[in-house]
Amino acid sequence: MPLTMSREVFITCALTGAGATQDRSPHVPRSPKQIAEAAREAALAGAACVHVHVRDPETGAPSHDPALFRETVERIRDLEPDMVINLTAGFGGDLIFGPPSRPLPLSQESIILTAEQRVAHVADCLPEICTLDCGTMNFAENDYVMTNTPGMLRAMGRAMTDLGVKPEIEAFDTGHLWLARQLVDEGVLHGPALVQLCMGVPWGAPNDLTTFNAMVAGVPEGWTFSAFSLGRDQMPYVAAAVLAGGHARVGLEDNLMLSRGELATNAQLVERAVSVIESLGARVMTAQDMRHSLGLVKRAPV
């Protein structure tokens, strides 16, 4: 894909994530009501799309409870302004090994679900978009492996396609894009596909611009990509994504700070991203613009 600057850009706000950040900032939303309110504020600030994880309302710990997803999505759908809903489907392939001297048995904190279980909340909520983490990788912690085998991805991808929900292919390294192209070639996913380039996540693609350019080059012509990086590199990658022809993601899932010593809200991060995008001469897209561009259909479950 050639590096041609985007003139129209949609912003995705990743509202809360699945990391243990709930006690590092009071602005990380926990309950469905708080997550929905954060979504509304992000949309008012300029986000076309909100990326949704859920948490235990009492402890703030990451949760996979379908009832929490359903309540959160229903609350978001009841709010104005309009926004595209993107649900995570990244959980359920979590392998946590024992120490190197005794890797087995696996830790009881490991969560291994079937493909049907991993997309059950997607089938229940019918968002416009859900994520598909297109590969397996060592993920930050010493003994944690995020597992997404080709067979699992084919099963999950077919289920998403059958539901009419567009997968957002989360690519953490160049090989993930290779597998994504194969899934489209096989007809598991429909093209042109939507890709999120995830930069700087240990131990995936490092967030230097040489690697980023290689990731962009791996996105086939005609596909749509967005990109993000973590922490203080979040805003520079808003600019990098736009200059490379893509779209932008910000939010508290990836970065808690507005500046050194100043905790951010989701809305403030979106406002900063809008400023960066507009300073480059691009226009920030609305939710309806994004749906039209990607062929999305806003639905509500029966």
Side-chain angles (χ1 to χ4, degrees), residues 4-300:
T4 303
M5 177 178 160
S6 294
R7 296 297 174 180
E8 295 193 331
V9 179
F10 63 75
I11 299 171
T12 297
C13 186
L15 300 168
T16 189
T21 57
Q22 66 272 13
D23 296 322
R24 294 172 55 196
S25 170
H27 303 306
V28 175
R30 299 185 177 200
S31 68
K33 182 178 179 181
Q34 290 171 341
I35 295 170
E37 180 59 23
R40 186 186 74 85
E41 292 171 354
L44 286 170
C49 178
V50 289
H51 176 53
V52 178
H53 291 250
V54 294
R55 293 176 178 268
D56 182 297
E58 298 300 322
T59 66
S63 175
H64 310 137
D65 185 346
L68 291 175
F69 275 106
R70 182 63 179 258
E71 180 184 350
T72 302
V73 169
E74 288 179 345
R75 286 180 176 274
I76 291 173
R77 283 191 170 120
D78 286 341
L79 294 173
E80 295 290 342
D82 183 28
M83 62 198 93
V84 174
I85 297 175
N86 175 343
L87 292 188
T88 183
F91 55 84
D94 308 299
L95 286 182
I96 303 175
F97 290 88
S101 60
R102 190 181 178 186
L104 295 177
L106 296 174
S107 167
Q108 293 183 353
E109 295 180 354
S110 297
I111 302 174
I112 304 298
L113 302 177
T114 67
E116 183 179 11
Q117 290 171 323
R118 291 180 70 171
V119 299
H121 64 299
V122 176
D124 185 42
C125 297
L126 294 178
E128 291 101 324
I129 300 171
C130 68
T131 61
L132 185 66
D133 295 345
C134 219
T136 294
M137 61 179 279
N138 296 326
F139 202 100
E141 289 85 357
N142 284 342
D143 301 309
Y144 170 52
V145 179
M146 178 183 75
T147 59
N148 295 286
T149 65
M152 177 63 75
L153 291 171
R154 286 186 177 95
M156 292 177 65
R158 287 190 186 98
M160 294 169 185
T161 297
D162 290 345
L163 288 168
V165 176
K166 190 172 188 69
E168 180 190 67
I169 296 164
E170 294 209 333
F172 294 82
D173 217 332
T174 53
H176 299 181
L177 292 168
W178 184 7
L179 181 50
R181 294 194 298 271
Q182 180 66 25
L183 295 178
V184 172
D185 288 345
E186 292 174 3
V188 173
L189 306 180
H190 291 164
L194 171 64
V195 177
Q196 184 72 251
L197 302 179
C198 310
M199 305 301 299
V201 178
W203 302 103
N207 62 349
D208 61 88
L209 289 177
T210 299
T211 304
F212 179 59
N213 287 338
M215 293 283 279
V216 172
V219 178
E221 189 73 33
W223 289 22
T224 300
F225 79 89
S226 178
F228 71 89
S229 189
L230 308 180
R232 65 182 181 181
D233 292 321
Q234 186 173 78
M235 291 305 157
Y237 266 81
V238 171
V242 174
L243 291 171
H247 303 268
R249 166 172 143 173
V250 295
L252 295 181
E253 176 172 352
D254 309 318
N255 167 41
L256 297 177
M257 310 300 293
L258 191 63
S259 60
R260 182 182 292 273
E262 183 180 2
L263 292 169
T265 66
N266 280 299
Q268 287 174 325
L269 293 173
V270 173
E271 288 170 355
R272 182 71 58 84
V274 168
S275 177
V276 171
I277 291 164
E278 291 182 341
S279 72
L280 293 172
R283 184 181 75 87
V284 175
M285 298 166 68
T286 67
Q288 193 54 39
D289 291 334
M290 183 179 177
R291 289 193 190 97
H292 178 75
S293 175
L294 298 178
L296 305 175
V297 177
K298 184 176 182 178
R299 298 180 294 168

